[in-house]
Amino acid sequence: MEKLMIYPYTTEADVFVRNSDLMEGYEISALVSLRGSGHQNVSHSINGNSILVHEDFEKALEECTAILPVFYDPNREIIESEEKDMMFIGQRIDEIIFSKIDKAVEHGKKIIIFNNGSKQAKILIEKVPDDLQICFQNIYSGKSDFAIKEMCHIETPVVCVASAFEGLDKMNILLALYRDLVQQGYNTLAFGTVQGCEIWGINSWPDFMSDIKLNTTEKIIYLNNYIKMLEIQKKPDIILVGVPGGTAPFTNKAPLDFGEMFYKVIKANLPDYFILSLPYAQYHDEDIEKWNKYYNVNFGIKINSYNISPKVILQQMTEQVNAARYLTIDVDTVIKQITEITENNVFCFADQESTKREIDRLLCQLEDYGELEAV
């Protein structure tokens, strides 16, 4: 069991903290933030233990056996009040992280690398000796795997997880579903929305979907063949597909994303069950119906259920930068709002009881369709 330090701790690291139980062979021993980032003393419950975020890298280095570096995303979509005055930006943060990695290597610590072709991953591979590298890489090995170039029928029921705008917890939703389905005995094949998903035992999004040399038709066929290839290999009971990006414009000033990737995904295989994630707002039944109409008219697809994330979209800031910006809120506020919606297909992934009801609803519906056999 590797004792894992996550460095630097930021909101980007929350998905690893929340889903650490799925990281087989790893136990989080420390959460270390950059000095002055405002995260110090934030408490997280991990496997029944309370772990406080701190800034003492050297102390954490003594106690860990491996490090998961989390690189700063300059386009991050979450605004934490403590970070508004943070002085670190972009390249400077990368330099700080790499200097700490050098120190960790000197002490013989293992480094987790998500080998996704990014600049940071390439630098880590060069810096870290082979015997200290723990590399996670997508199983996709090239276009030769998809020589058929024809659409295949996916026989396994597919659950699609998408969001109205980017940054609304698709990865957390997908992993919450994956965890419970596996615990219930379902052989589950899952495709996540971020690189490095292999650390949870699922598949990262295939990189050919962002290959500018491929046209839309080729990407749809490759994705269909990719899912089919893994369906044949894994023989799953159910397939979970997370969709990167957003699926709907925000306002005229901030159109954000019209759902190009979502279009490709549903053309590769029309899902049997569709979950849409929305930001927190004072929704009423008619608002839910408007969302359903939007996806029906624009994509020809029905929304089966809605996740309400504990994030409020900041309109003025979003319109200024044409990228989704959010303020996090308390989960209890979301749960209270959900109870005021008479539609029973609304949940919040951050609430265990709410998520459990959603999974029961999902399984019942797939069984009613005759797509899924009860375990």
Side-chain angles (χ1 to χ4, degrees):
M1 179 72 74
E2 300 286 355
K3 292 188 176 297
L4 187 66
M5 179 209 306
I6 294 182
Y7 176 83
Y9 172 83
T10 67
T11 52
E12 283 88 353
D14 279 346
V15 68
F16 298 104
V17 176
R18 176 179 288 277
N19 300 289
S20 62
D21 61 306
L22 295 175
M23 295 159 54
E24 188 173 348
Y26 300 91
E27 177 185 355
I28 295 179
S29 62
L31 303 172
V32 182
S33 62
L34 293 168
R35 295 187 183 280
S37 67
H39 289 295
Q40 191 169 16
N41 295 324
V42 172
S43 177
H44 286 277
S45 178
I46 302 176
N47 296 327
N49 299 317
S50 179
I51 295 184
L52 290 178
V53 179
H54 64 82
E55 299 177 349
D56 193 339
F57 181 87
E58 283 69 24
K59 178 182 178 182
L61 192 63
E62 295 175 1
E63 300 171 352
C64 76
T65 61
I67 296 176
L68 170 58
V70 180
F71 290 93
Y72 177 81
D73 178 6
N75 297 314
R76 66 192 304 180
E77 294 149 335
I78 310 302
I79 303 297
E80 298 287 353
S81 58
E82 297 88 349
E83 295 183 349
K84 289 180 180 178
D85 298 323
M86 186 174 174
M87 299 303 294
F88 302 115
I89 57 172
Q91 184 62 35
R92 174 59 179 153
I93 291 183
D94 284 1
E95 292 173 2
I96 294 171
I97 296 173
F98 287 132
S99 69
K100 297 297 186 183
I101 294 300
D102 289 337
K103 182 175 292 188
V105 168
E106 291 174 5
H107 286 76
K109 306 299 182 180
K110 298 176 183 178
I111 309 299
I112 291 179
I113 303 173
F114 296 145
N115 191 6
N116 55 11
S118 68
K119 178 181 178 181
Q120 293 95 336
K122 291 177 181 177
I123 293 174
L124 286 176
I125 291 172
E126 292 177 359
K127 277 180 170 288
V128 181
D130 291 347
D131 61 330
L132 294 180
Q133 292 183 15
I134 304 176
C135 278
F136 290 92
Q137 188 166 6
N138 195 295
I139 65 168
Y140 171 66
S141 58
K143 299 176 187 177
S144 59
D145 293 331
F146 309 103
I148 299 176
K149 293 189 175 180
E150 63 181 34
M151 295 292 286
C152 302
H153 175 62
I154 308 298
E155 299 177 1
T156 308
V158 174
V159 177
C160 181
V161 180
S163 60
F165 320 119
E166 182 59 290
L168 288 174
D169 299 303
K170 292 185 294 288
M171 197 68 244
N172 281 316
I173 298 167
L174 186 138
L175 288 173
L177 299 176
Y178 177 79
R179 177 187 292 107
D180 195 278
L181 289 169
V182 170
Q183 288 175 351
Q184 292 192 46
Y186 290 95
N187 180 10
T188 307
L189 174 63
F191 300 87
T193 59
V194 299
Q195 295 296 325
C197 286
E198 287 72 18
I199 198 171
W200 293 299
I202 67 174
N203 301 280
S204 296
W205 193 249
D207 55 8
F208 60 75
M209 293 300 289
S210 57
D211 188 342
I212 60 174
K213 296 178 182 179
L214 297 177
N215 61 38
T216 297
T217 299
E218 289 172 322
K219 289 179 180 179
I220 291 171
I221 295 173
Y222 282 161
L223 180 60
N224 169 269
N225 288 190
Y226 179 61
I227 295 174
K228 185 63 181 182
M229 177 183 71
L230 289 178
E231 181 189 37
I232 293 171
Q233 291 178 2
K234 305 295 184 180
K235 297 179 173 57
D237 300 310
I238 191 167
I239 298 174
L240 304 178
V241 179
V243 183
T247 55
F250 179 56
T251 64
N252 289 339
K253 291 184 179 179
L256 302 185
D257 194 330
F258 290 95
E260 180 181 358
M261 188 67 75
F262 181 61
Y263 170 82
K264 295 170 185 173
V265 171
I266 63 176
K267 288 301 179 183
N269 187 83
L270 190 65
D272 301 281
Y273 193 96
F274 172 37
I275 298 172
L276 177 69
S277 186
L278 297 172
Y280 173 82
Q282 289 297 319
Y283 295 112
H284 301 285
D285 292 342
E286 54 268 28
D287 299 311
I288 298 298
E289 180 55 35
K290 286 179 181 177
W291 281 110
N292 195 50
K293 183 177 180 180
Y294 171 81
Y295 286 89
N296 187 22
V297 170
N298 289 279
F299 299 102
I301 188 171
K302 174 187 176 183
I303 301 171
N304 296 99
S305 63
Y306 300 81
N307 168 79
I308 308 297
S309 285
K311 299 172 184 177
V312 176
I313 193 163
L314 303 174
Q315 180 169 342
Q316 185 175 359
M317 189 175 294
T318 296
E319 291 182 340
Q320 285 177 348
V321 298
N322 192 29
R325 295 291 186 264
Y326 303 100
L327 181 68
T328 56
I329 63 171
D330 187 77
V331 175
D332 291 338
T333 301
V334 180
I335 300 305
K336 182 178 182 296
Q337 203 273 326
I338 287 176
T339 61
E340 297 173 356
I341 300 174
T342 58
E343 295 287 343
N344 65 356
N345 61 341
V346 183
F347 74 104
C348 175
F349 80 93
D351 178 68
Q352 190 172 2
E353 291 185 11
S354 176
T355 302
K356 176 62 178 174
R357 288 194 298 271
E358 166 57 20
I359 293 171
D360 290 343
R361 178 168 51 244
L362 182 157
L363 292 174
C364 286
Q365 188 152 324
L366 292 179
E367 289 169 7
D368 287 345
Y369 290 164
E371 299 284 349
L372 184 70
E373 293 183 5
V375 173

